[in-house]
Amino acid sequence: MASPNQRTAEALDKLLAQKNTEIAIVLALQVSVKELVNRLLNRGLTSERSDDRDEDVIAARIAEYDKKTAPVAEHYKKYDKVKYIKGEGNIDNIFEKLCDEIDKKMKKKV
């Protein structure tokens, strides 16, 4: 049985099909929970966001992502549209990998 978020993705696909377009690629950055928590805690040091300073709130946000967003990627995996990119390390390298995946997808469409 499809989750509500998978049904939302299916509805989006139908809407886009009516407009003669589609989701071409879903780029998903893979980052460890430890790294996510560290990044948000560090952001909390310089931002006005109190939720970036509370590890319990951060954990709840990550759980919410896993519950609501990850199933959307599962929907698009069925159509070989999801590309996972390591989201840790040098920002320029991560950006380059994202651009490479987009470029590959664009070349296939031509």
Side-chain angles (χ1 to χ4, degrees):
M1 182 174 171
S3 73
N5 296 317
Q6 287 172 311
R7 288 192 297 275
T8 300
E10 291 167 358
L12 175 60
D13 289 341
K14 287 178 186 173
L15 174 66
L16 292 174
Q18 291 173 355
K19 299 191 177 286
N20 272 345
T21 192
E22 66 181 359
I23 298 291
I25 189 169
V26 175
L27 299 173
L29 293 173
Q30 293 183 308
V31 181
S32 71
V33 171
K34 180 179 179 182
E35 179 67 16
L36 288 172
V37 170
N38 285 337
R39 286 178 184 180
L40 290 169
L41 289 173
N42 284 332
R43 184 173 76 175
L45 297 174
T46 59
S47 74
E48 299 295 319
R49 294 185 59 161
S50 61
D51 59 335
D52 284 346
R53 294 181 223 129
D54 185 329
E55 286 192 53
D56 291 332
V57 172
I58 292 169
R61 285 163 50 194
I62 293 168
E64 187 78 0
Y65 170 86
D66 289 339
K67 179 180 174 188
K68 292 187 175 178
T69 305
V72 174
E74 287 301 313
H75 167 77
Y76 289 107
K77 273 175 69 174
K78 293 186 283 187
Y79 304 101
D80 195 32
K81 292 185 176 187
V82 179
K83 299 296 178 190
Y84 292 97
I85 307 294
K86 183 179 177 205
E88 295 182 35
N90 180 288
I91 292 172
D92 290 333
N93 290 341
I94 296 166
F95 180 74
E96 186 177 323
K97 290 176 189 173
L98 291 167
C99 291
D100 287 346
E101 289 298 334
I102 294 168
D103 289 343
K104 280 190 241 177
K105 189 56 145 177
M106 296 305 291
K107 287 177 185 173
K108 285 183 183 178
K109 287 194 148 223
V110 176

